[in-house]
Amino acid sequence: MATQLPSPPRVGMVSLGCPKNLVDSERILTQLRADGYQMSADYAGADVVLVNTCGFLDSAKEESLEAIGEAIAENGRVIVTGCMGKEAEAIRARFPDVLAITGAHEYEQVVEAVHAAAPVAISPYVDLIPDAGLKLTPRHYSYLKISEGCNHRCSFCIIPSLRGDLVSRRPDAILREAEKLVAAGTKELLVISQDTSAYGIDIRDQPRMWKGAEVRPHMTDLARELGRIAPWVRLHYVYPYPHVDQVIPLMAEGLVLPYLDIPFQHAAPAVLRRMKRPANDAKVLGRIKAWREVCPDIAIRSTFVVGFPGETEEDFQYLLDWLDEAQLDRVGAFRFEPVEGAAANALPDPVPEEVKEERYARIMERTAAISTAKLAAKVGRTLDVIIDAVDADTGGATGRSKADAPEIDGAVYLRNVPATLAPGDIVEATIEDADAHDLFGVIA
């Protein structure tokens, strides 16, 4: 007589916020899958729903609260985790029926809460999970978190109070995870942390053995080793410390993608001082020029805050002039928004909302013009493109060049692609046209 296995509990997940939160969600789901749980793609099929919250901005908190409310309305059995976990009283005041609340990267507490809410029946017949764990991204790219927390105390940011000070992972553990991800189909590793440049400063005296050689816990060493594992390695959240210069030759050699995501936030010295930003020396423009001399194809993306308290028209014009000289490839901008608990809230001379809007429109217009010109210069070139999606009905495909990170940068749209093309393929494409953000072409 066949053995009737009990149906395992099913867990739903809503993951909000940054890629670091996404990695936390993947780790939680991986552990739950190892414990015998199944995943549910909708509220109706879930025995319990996890909501991984973002608490960086007030607007993000409100989005998190709305997600919690939706999960309770649709399912009723909800566990909250993530950055808003530190505001448990506020969450319970609005949603008293929440089963449990845990903070950021408190993996064990989340798993224990799920076990209590929906116990799994012990069975010797439970399948093992893949070595790479469960993923919330497409198979061909993966986020690789190398550290938690941050040692900086920027006046607009509350990340250290949410996630603590810097805690770096062992380099050999990171490299083992990278190998598993690539073995499972990952073609592009997106290296993330709160401050990638600071990786290893807390464990600098703890090198580890890897493939018969010693590897230092240092951004350059780690990037070099990752480049030997994955076809594409992309670095995010890089502060422009002096040792970043050492990574640029790795890009010129092809070990690391010629791409740097550097959150400059502003350029005017007075604003940077009020922001308490690190590495804000006046030599940044010269270093960008030097990077381009070593690696001409390097793409630099950044984000900027407009309307920070005390920002004058002169400060803002300084930023626009700086952008004209820097010629950054990808730029995002945000209007300053007070965050509960941030030191910037107490700064004098707040910028009126209408002025913030006007400056936001101006910076987006200026950076769009720069992007349009830089992309137009790529028309006629042949670029490597990683495929994200294929449309069999139209014969087209959507991909990204080495200058484009998923979801935050532009895309490359290809026509007349072969039927054998699949997501994750890396092809050479001839660029035929461009607009302010995207490229258009055909496989070479």
Side-chain angles (χ1 to χ4, degrees):
M1 181 177 179
T3 301
Q4 182 68 40
L5 296 179
S7 298
R10 300 179 68 84
V11 178
M13 169 69 84
V14 178
S15 186
L16 304 173
C18 64
K20 293 178 283 294
N21 253 24
L22 189 71
V23 172
D24 290 344
S25 297
E26 291 177 338
R27 289 181 178 174
I28 293 167
L29 292 181
T30 295
Q31 183 57 55
L32 290 173
R33 186 67 183 88
D35 292 345
Y37 289 84
Q38 296 292 327
M39 304 301 123
S40 175
D42 53 42
Y43 293 118
D47 295 287
V48 63
V49 176
L50 295 175
V51 180
N52 193 356
T53 58
C54 177
F56 183 53
L57 298 173
D58 289 344
S59 55
K61 292 180 183 180
E62 187 57 36
E63 181 185 10
S64 295
L65 291 171
E66 290 175 0
I68 296 168
E70 179 181 334
I72 289 177
E74 296 292 333
N75 182 278
R77 297 176 56 77
V78 177
I79 294 171
V80 176
T81 187
C83 293
M84 269 202 78
K86 290 207 170 186
E87 301 185 34
E89 292 183 5
I91 294 173
R92 288 202 180 280
R94 187 160 168 180
F95 305 109
D97 295 333
V98 165
L99 299 178
I101 301 173
T102 71
H105 53 86
E106 293 182 350
Y107 310 121
E108 293 182 4
Q109 294 90 324
V110 177
V111 172
E112 288 174 2
V114 174
H115 281 222
V120 66
I122 303 300
S123 170
Y125 304 103
V126 174
D127 292 332
L128 295 175
I129 61 169
D131 279 349
L134 300 182
K135 295 174 82 277
L136 299 176
T137 55
R139 184 169 179 262
H140 61 282
Y141 68 82
S142 301
Y143 292 100
L144 182 65
K145 188 175 355 181
I146 63 174
S147 65
E148 291 283 1
C150 183
N151 288 343
H152 302 303
R153 296 297 183 265
C154 301
S155 62
F156 56 83
C157 182
I158 60 171
I159 290 296
S161 66
L162 295 175
R163 291 182 172 264
D165 288 335
L166 176 75
V167 179
S168 300
R169 296 178 62 196
R170 291 172 42 162
D172 54 331
I174 296 171
L175 296 171
R176 275 195 297 272
E177 181 181 351
E179 280 198 331
K180 290 179 179 180
L181 289 168
V182 171
T186 292
K187 300 290 183 65
E188 178 181 9
L189 291 173
L190 300 111
V191 178
I192 59 170
S193 65
Q194 202 60 44
D195 179 359
T196 296
S197 305
Y199 169 72
I201 63 172
D202 55 327
I203 56 171
R204 64 180 61 182
D205 58 347
Q206 301 174 35
R208 299 288 178 173
M209 296 301 296
W210 175 255
K211 306 292 187 182
E214 199 172 72
V215 178
R216 293 184 306 158
H218 187 277
M219 182 181 75
T220 307
D221 293 50
L222 185 66
R224 181 184 297 108
E225 295 300 327
L226 288 172
R228 294 167 176 163
I229 294 173
W232 281 19
V233 175
R234 192 181 299 276
L235 301 177
H236 286 276
Y237 313 120
V238 176
Y239 284 81
Y241 303 144
H243 66 259
V244 173
D245 296 350
Q246 302 168 21
V247 179
I248 310 305
L250 301 181
M251 298 179 178
E253 295 170 21
L255 276 176
V256 179
L257 290 183
Y259 179 99
L260 278 180
D261 177 3
I262 303 178
F264 288 116
Q265 307 295 12
H266 214 282
V271 177
L272 289 170
R273 284 194 296 271
R274 287 192 293 274
M275 288 181 168
K276 296 185 177 180
R277 292 291 291 167
N280 56 12
D281 60 70
K283 299 180 181 178
V284 171
L285 286 172
R287 292 179 65 208
I288 291 175
K289 180 180 179 182
W291 294 343
R292 287 173 173 152
E293 290 174 352
V294 175
C295 183
D297 281 337
I298 188 171
I300 303 173
R301 97 165 320 273
S302 190
T303 52
F304 296 88
V305 177
V306 298
F308 192 79
E311 181 192 58
T312 64
E313 178 60 27
E314 290 74 19
D315 291 329
F316 182 70
Q317 186 60 50
Y318 186 104
L319 172 58
L320 294 182
D321 294 342
W322 187 93
L323 287 168
D324 281 341
E325 189 169 351
Q327 291 288 299
L328 303 184
D329 299 80
R330 302 294 191 188
V331 171
F334 301 90
R335 310 159 190 84
F336 173 75
E337 181 179 328
V339 179
E340 185 177 350
N345 300 346
L347 291 174
D349 303 319
V351 176
E353 292 300 319
E354 61 271 20
V355 176
K356 290 182 189 177
E357 290 296 329
E358 187 265 345
R359 290 177 181 171
Y360 174 79
R362 285 163 64 192
I363 192 173
M364 295 311 293
E365 180 181 7
R366 182 71 58 91
T367 56
I370 294 172
S371 176
T372 298
K374 292 182 78 75
L375 292 181
K378 296 183 179 183
V379 174
R381 292 185 58 188
T382 297
L383 306 176
D384 289 338
V385 174
I386 189 168
I387 303 300
D388 286 331
V390 177
D391 189 334
D393 293 334
T394 64
T398 303
R400 290 174 291 108
S401 74
K402 292 179 179 180
D404 302 304
E407 299 186 357
I408 58 173
D409 293 326
V412 181
Y413 296 99
L414 302 177
R415 61 180 179 83
N416 299 337
V417 301
T420 55
L421 195 68
D425 288 347
I426 298 176
V427 300
E428 289 186 341
T430 299
I431 305 305
E432 301 174 313
D433 198 2
D435 59 20
H437 304 289
D438 304 314
L439 297 171
F440 305 84
V442 64
I443 292 179

